[in-house]
Amino acid sequence: MKRRTFLTATTASLAATQLAGPAYAYASASGSTAGHYEVVARFWGAMPTGVTVSRRGRIFVNFPRWGDDVPFTVAELRGGKPVAYPDAEVNRQDPSDLAGHFQSVQSVVVDPADRLWILDTGSPGFAGSSYGGPKLVAVDLHTDRIVRTILFPPEVVPANSYPNDVRFDLRRGAQGTAFITDSGGSNGIIVVDLATGRSRRRLTGHPSALPDTQFLPVIEGEPFMVRPAGGEPTYYETGSDGIALSADGTRLYYCPLSSRRLHSVSIDALADPDATDAEVAATVEDLGFKPMADGLESDDKGRLYGGDLEHNAIWRRSPNGTYRTLAQGHDLIWVDTLSVAADRHLYAIANQLNRLSPFHEGQDLRRKPYLLVRLPIDAGPVKLV
């Protein structure tokens, strides 16, 4: 099933069920079976997807408008609780002012200059976007004010696109370059010149960005498929999703969600506006097997991180290609976004996405709270500045 079909089913079913479903027992962090992780925050409202941490330790999260009651789609954690950020008004969904309000934010990332960037899909309920909705917004963390809004034109972000996650290399171009995965119908990478605001697509429809159409993972003991009420199960198909930068700034790592493959591409080629699509594609490398992961992250020692969705775990990939499980536990259900912080910890959201109603014949099996966890990694974030 394509993401758009999944999105439609998600919205309709969430509106009907509003988190109804049987209870699940949780193991505490201390009951984890591998490694040690700390629960930083528990979320009792809408389901989060993204997390990022500033140099001074300020934690920001986001809640996409997928069907839950989402009073604000971007928040800062204050006293362990989410508070609308930078204010409640800009978080108010407003179809009459798509560019001036956050419609449905999928990702938040603090860049190497310690600015918060907010990636708005412009597509509440995955219903499709219009110009002004999909955007990249910068907030000055010293003043807590929006200082930049970059709108994506329809030829770069079509209505069926879904801008998913973003990374920054501030050494490229006059003010830096952003790289964004598109996990919607147009699977690929979006490249943004932060000085001019101009954006372009790369690797659209390239096999490395597409889902494996026969992908059948097993999560929480059952085959993970789209299972509509009264309908036949179908494969879950989502393309380019996770994204991370190499520590030296030469390679961009990315992966489809519906896959166990990891790929990388030359950042020189991606960032070159004069490079042809064929020249960019020629730099793609297949890095082999990886566990099924949603988000990706990297550290300043050249290592990659991701969630192992099939084993409630978090892994690390060394530069030599070997993998190690860093944490595993019964409450690490669907590790989504990961973020390496200046405090030398890896932060991760566990949001139970696999328990959503489209995967269980209309029954929403999620049980609050959703979790933000962290674990020490003896490394800092990649800073390409």
Side-chain angles (χ1 to χ4, degrees), residues 298-322:
S298 54
D299 68 22
D300 58 10
K301 293 185 177 180
R303 303 174 298 188
L304 285 179
Y305 300 84
D308 181 346
L309 302 183
E310 296 182 86
H311 298 97
N312 292 1
I314 296 172
W315 51 262
R316 180 168 67 201
R317 180 184 187 273
S318 296
N320 64 5
T322 59

Side-chain angles (χ1 to χ4, degrees), residues 1 210-217 224 235-241 255-261 290 292-293:
M1 173 176 277
L210 297 179
D212 177 350
T213 58
Q214 300 297 307
F215 184 61
L216 187 59
F224 180 64
Y235 292 104
Y236 175 66
E237 299 178 26
T238 297
S240 52
D241 191 318
C255 64
L257 176 52
S258 300
S259 170
R260 295 191 191 89
R261 307 298 294 184
K290 63 150 189 58
M292 180 192 183

Side-chain angles (χ1 to χ4, degrees), residues 8-19 66-69 357 364 366:
T8 302
T10 299
T11 303
S13 189
L14 282 179
T17 59
Q18 284 298 304
L19 304 182
W66 286 4
D68 288 338
D69 179 14
S357 54
D364 191 332
R366 296 174 300 168

Side-chain angles (χ1 to χ4, degrees), residues 9 19 48 74 93 107 173 179 212 214 225 239 259 281 325 344:
L19 304 182
V74 179
Q93 185 183 347
S107 182
F179 304 93
D212 177 350
Q214 300 297 307
M225 302 182 76
S259 170
T325 297
R344 305 178 76 77

Side-chain angles (χ1 to χ4, degrees), residues 244-253 262 264 287 296-306 315-323 326 340 344 377-384:
L245 295 165
S246 66
D248 61 6
T250 62
R251 307 293 295 181
L252 181 80
Y253 301 99
L262 177 67
S264 73
L287 300 177
L296 295 177
E297 181 58 303
S298 54
D299 68 22
D300 58 10
K301 293 185 177 180
R303 303 174 298 188
L304 285 179
Y305 300 84
W315 51 262
R316 180 168 67 201
R317 180 184 187 273
S318 296
N320 64 5
T322 59
Y323 285 82
L326 297 184
V340 172
R344 305 178 76 77
I377 59 169
D378 190 29
V382 173
K383 294 182 180 179
L384 302 178

Side-chain angles (χ1 to χ4, degrees), residues 115 117-119 134-137 148-153 156-157 163 165-181 189-202 243 252 267 270-273:
R115 297 170 296 189
W117 290 88
I118 295 164
L119 183 61
K135 54 188 172 288
L136 191 59
V137 179
R148 186 79 189 279
T149 298
I150 297 173
L151 305 181
F152 301 124
V156 174
V157 179
D165 206 351
V166 58
R167 295 293 182 266
F168 298 89
D169 183 343
L170 300 186
R171 306 173 308 170
R172 297 178 184 274
Q175 296 180 26
T177 301
F179 304 93
I180 300 169
T181 46
I189 306 292
I190 299 164
V191 181
V192 186
D193 184 323
L194 299 181
T196 65
R198 296 192 186 99
S199 54
R200 58 188 179 278
R201 297 190 64 87
R202 293 299 197 187
I243 187 170
L252 181 80
I267 295 179
L270 279 180
D272 182 357

